[in-house]
Amino acid sequence: MKSGLETMAGLSLQPLEPFGLAVTSPGANLRDVPVSLLRQWTRSNGVVVLRGFSPLTKEEMVQYAGTWGEILTWDFGAVLELLVHERARNYLFTPGNVPLHWDGAFARVVPGFQFFQCLEAPWPGTGGETLFTHTPTVWQRAPASQREEWRKVEISYTTQKVAHYGGQVTVPLLSRHPHTGATTLRFAEELNDESVKLNPLFIEIAGLPADRHAGFLQELREALYAPRVCYVHAWRDGDMLLADNHALLHGRNAFHADSPRHLQRIHII
Ligand SMILES: [Fe+2]
């Protein structure tokens, strides 16, 4: 992607830092942008932010996502309403942070894409940004000694099914993107000191001596949160966002308890 503003068929394209692509087209309808083009942009940029497009109703969102491919449905249906619950039983539905993870670790299939729409953004300066880490770049930046260690690691993840996901899975740290072939990292962090401790995830590391576990985790987190690989998205009302779930990990900054924050999310296989 060339730097600077480009226009194509009425769309303004702007690269994001450190990765990603912003597409703006005030008042345009998302359905008028070819799906093949958006899919290609999402694969090559990791994240595509769509700003200024006409809002979609929940039904229109489902119908639109269906033009991309099969939708992964959950016990709530196709659209996850991400907002604070008054009596939350899982940290996702609190104003707390969400550590890095990939979606679908416990599902029958890992979805290829996430499609978000922001109905109500947090007030500016109150947090609630979504973080995306580009793991193929994390791998490319890793020194040979770290790569060697990462190749040995397999992690078991356990969480109780209180919300729509849960169970136990064991996943190698390194994986291969099923479409681009890039080396990716699959990792989900445990809740940390700042998190709201509801329905936590537990991890167990295999492949390394026990006295390396803490150092491995610390170095991995440093690599995943390095500013060069981590795009921080501050939501605005009406934003839509497409993300490559196979390539990226994502999480959320905590936000002010009084601030609104309402996102809708669909998984496309
Ligand atoms: Fe997620």
Side-chain angles (χ1 to χ4, degrees):
M1 185 60 54
K2 283 184 238 161
S3 62
L5 195 70
E6 299 183 19
T7 57
M8 178 158 52
L11 304 175
S12 298
L13 310 183
Q14 181 76 47
L16 296 168
E17 287 300 327
F19 69 91
L21 177 70
V23 180
T24 50
S25 186
N29 194 317
L30 187 54
R31 287 166 289 198
D32 293 336
V33 185
V35 168
S36 56
L37 189 61
L38 271 179
R39 185 186 283 116
Q40 184 193 321
W41 285 347
T42 307
R43 289 244 167 86
S44 55
N45 294 279
V47 164
V48 173
V49 174
L50 302 150
R51 200 157 259 176
F53 287 80
S54 302
L56 300 176
T57 65
K58 195 165 168 170
E59 291 69 32
E60 287 168 340
M61 217 183 146
V62 174
Q63 193 191 31
Y64 174 73
T67 65
W68 274 59
E70 189 189 344
I71 293 172
L72 180 62
T73 55
W74 299 84
D75 49 15
F76 53 78
V79 181
L80 178 67
E81 303 279 354
L82 269 166
L83 74 182
V84 171
H85 291 180
E86 209 171 303
R87 277 183 288 278
R89 297 175 64 217
N90 174 287
Y91 61 91
L92 287 177
F93 304 104
T94 74
N97 72 331
V98 174
L100 289 176
H101 64 283
W102 76 102
D103 279 353
F106 300 100
R108 66 177 171 87
V109 58
V110 175
F113 298 102
Q114 299 161 297
F115 174 42
F116 292 95
Q117 178 170 233
C118 176
L119 298 188
E120 215 176 354
W123 297 323
T126 59
E129 301 88 354
T130 297
L131 281 61
F132 294 94
T133 287
H134 196 271
T135 73
T137 308
V138 173
W139 174 251
Q140 285 161 17
R141 282 166 47 91
S145 56
Q146 194 168 37
R147 287 181 173 198
E148 202 180 316
E149 183 170 75
W150 286 357
R151 281 194 185 96
K152 299 175 191 160
V153 175
E154 214 175 56
I155 302 177
S156 294
Y157 301 95
T158 309
T159 192
Q160 207 186 337
K161 189 178 181 302
V162 174
H164 52 282
Y165 65 92
Q168 180 169 35
V169 289
T170 301
V171 183
L173 178 64
L174 298 182
S175 186
R176 194 163 289 283
H177 192 293
H179 298 282
T180 67
T183 298
T184 62
L185 280 81
R186 302 294 79 192
F187 177 63
E189 288 181 282
E190 290 183 318
L191 293 174
N192 55 36
D193 292 345
E194 292 95 61
S195 308
V196 177
K197 303 285 194 306
L198 282 173
N199 196 192
L201 171 81
F202 300 99
I203 70 171
E204 207 179 307
I205 298 164
L208 299 178
D211 63 2
R212 261 305 291 159
H213 289 188
F216 156 75
L217 282 175
Q218 191 190 328
E219 289 160 19
L220 178 60
R221 286 198 187 101
E222 280 166 16
L224 296 176
Y225 283 100
R228 176 63 190 83
V229 300
C230 191
Y231 168 64
V232 181
H233 185 68
W235 294 96
R236 291 192 207 162
D237 289 354
D239 277 357
M240 296 181 214
L241 189 151
L242 291 155
D244 182 337
N245 184 51
H246 290 306
L248 310 181
L249 301 174
H250 63 279
R252 173 182 81 200
N253 285 336
F255 55 102
H256 195 282
D258 294 334
S259 172
R261 189 182 189 272
H262 186 178
L263 305 181
Q264 293 175 316
R265 187 210 63 205
I266 295 185
H267 285 143
I268 301 158
I269 298 170

